[in-house]
Amino acid sequence: MQKDLKEATAYRQQLRKRIMETALKAFMQYGIRAARMAGIASMLGISKRTLYEIYDDKEQLLYESIKMYDHQRRQHLTDFAAANHHVIDVILEVYRMKVEELRTVNPAFYTDILKYPKLAQYIRDNNERTREDFVRFMQRGVEEGYLRKSVNYELIPLMFDAIGHYVLDHELIRQYSIEELFSNLFLVALRGLCTQKGLRIIDEAKL
């Protein structure tokens, strides 16, 4: 009996992960509004009823999927940074990861996500939580000699947030690709933050 219970629990956990992975791919490929729960269930080969037994609605599924995605990316960067990489290496890895994402994600995903209150709040809270970590990380770059001392690094994430809101509010993604918007914002800002030592690393990377 106990063995059966453990197997059932393990199966359910595996199923939850499969659902989140499949749903996230659908949300990113088609946009959140266009990705239907029935379609996700069909992709998984399960009934819509089974899907709703595990996730109450699309917003809950979206929320859990995004949390999983964020955790995986943070873990990758933590492992990358721990493998004897300096600050610029880590920043460029963030850039590569984001560009890879932007090349495959439907722009509707980014505009849709803010229409879900729970997700919008999660993004705001997550930004608040990570700001102190960001400032500490950038200070490490200053100490390593790659980033300029004269910059107020507490302002940087606030300015990025403001620009992100401007891009969405003015629907710039209808005029430019998200990859182009991100590359111009990220790389121009990064070069402005770097010392000559940091700039040499960027130039060698040939982005």
Side-chain angles (χ1 to χ4, degrees), residues 1-20 54-55:
M1 185 72 171
Q2 188 173 5
K3 181 181 178 181
D4 291 343
L5 181 59
K6 286 183 179 179
E7 289 178 351
T9 301
Y11 169 77
R12 196 170 183 85
Q13 289 174 343
Q14 291 171 358
L15 180 58
R16 287 179 69 90
K17 184 178 180 183
R18 281 182 56 222
I19 291 172
M20 287 189 290
I54 298 175
Y55 293 100

Side-chain angles (χ1 to χ4, degrees), residues 121-132 157 161 165:
Q121 187 62 50
Y122 169 77
I123 292 170
R124 287 193 293 270
D125 292 345
N126 193 50
N127 287 342
E128 289 289 340
R129 285 193 299 269
T130 58
R131 276 175 191 152
E132 289 185 9
D161 285 349
H165 284 299

Side-chain angles (χ1 to χ4, degrees), residues 13-183:
Q13 289 174 343
Q14 291 171 358
L15 180 58
R16 287 179 69 90
K17 184 178 180 183
R18 281 182 56 222
I19 291 172
M20 287 189 290
E21 290 172 344
T22 302
L24 187 62
K25 287 179 182 178
F27 292 144
M28 288 183 165
Q29 182 176 355
Y30 304 113
I32 299 166
R33 296 181 68 183
R36 306 292 183 185
M37 293 291 272
I40 293 169
S42 178
M43 292 167 68
L44 286 157
I46 62 176
S47 68
K48 190 165 70 169
R49 177 179 178 180
T50 298
L51 180 57
Y52 277 110
E53 285 175 353
I54 298 175
Y55 293 100
D56 293 337
D57 52 36
K58 182 191 282 189
E59 185 168 11
Q60 184 193 12
L61 175 54
L62 174 64
Y63 177 74
E64 295 296 335
S65 301
I66 294 295
K67 282 178 62 180
M68 178 190 70
Y69 181 71
D70 283 350
H71 173 75
Q72 290 172 343
R73 291 169 71 83
R74 283 196 302 270
Q75 188 59 54
H76 170 76
L77 289 173
T78 298
D79 294 342
F80 184 86
N84 203 29
H85 289 288
H86 55 63
V87 160
I88 299 298
D89 279 342
V90 178
I91 293 173
L92 293 180
E93 181 66 7
V94 171
Y95 173 78
R96 293 185 189 100
M97 290 170 64
K98 192 64 179 179
V99 168
E100 183 180 351
E101 173 190 304
L102 294 174
R103 285 174 177 165
T104 58
V105 176
N106 189 322
F109 173 80
Y110 299 106
T111 54
D112 286 350
I113 202 168
L114 297 179
K115 298 171 184 175
Y116 292 83
K118 191 173 183 179
L119 259 296
Q121 187 62 50
Y122 169 77
I123 292 170
R124 287 193 293 270
D125 292 345
N126 193 50
N127 287 342
E128 289 289 340
R129 285 193 299 269
T130 58
R131 276 175 191 152
E132 289 185 9
D133 293 337
F134 172 84
V135 172
R136 283 194 294 269
F137 177 76
M138 300 302 273
Q139 187 58 44
R140 174 184 151 191
V142 171
E143 293 167 1
E144 291 178 352
Y146 295 106
L147 299 177
R148 294 166 50 202
K149 294 180 181 179
S150 58
V151 176
N152 182 346
Y153 288 99
E154 292 183 359
L155 284 176
I156 302 303
L158 299 176
M159 293 171 67
F160 270 83
D161 285 349
I163 293 171
H165 284 299
Y166 182 92
V167 167
L168 292 175
D169 291 345
H170 291 78
E171 298 185 333
L172 294 187
I173 58 175
R174 295 183 181 274
Q175 302 175 50
Y176 309 95
S177 72
I178 296 185
E179 183 182 343
E180 183 180 7
L181 290 166
F182 176 73
S183 296

Side-chain angles (χ1 to χ4, degrees), residues 85-93 96 144-147 187 190-191 194-207:
H85 289 288
H86 55 63
V87 160
I88 299 298
D89 279 342
V90 178
I91 293 173
L92 293 180
E93 181 66 7
R96 293 185 189 100
E144 291 178 352
Y146 295 106
L147 299 177
L187 293 178
L190 178 58
R191 294 186 70 88
C194 284
T195 61
Q196 288 300 315
K197 180 180 177 182
L199 287 172
R200 282 195 295 272
I201 302 295
I202 297 173
D203 290 338
E204 289 171 4
K206 297 179 181 180
L207 298 171

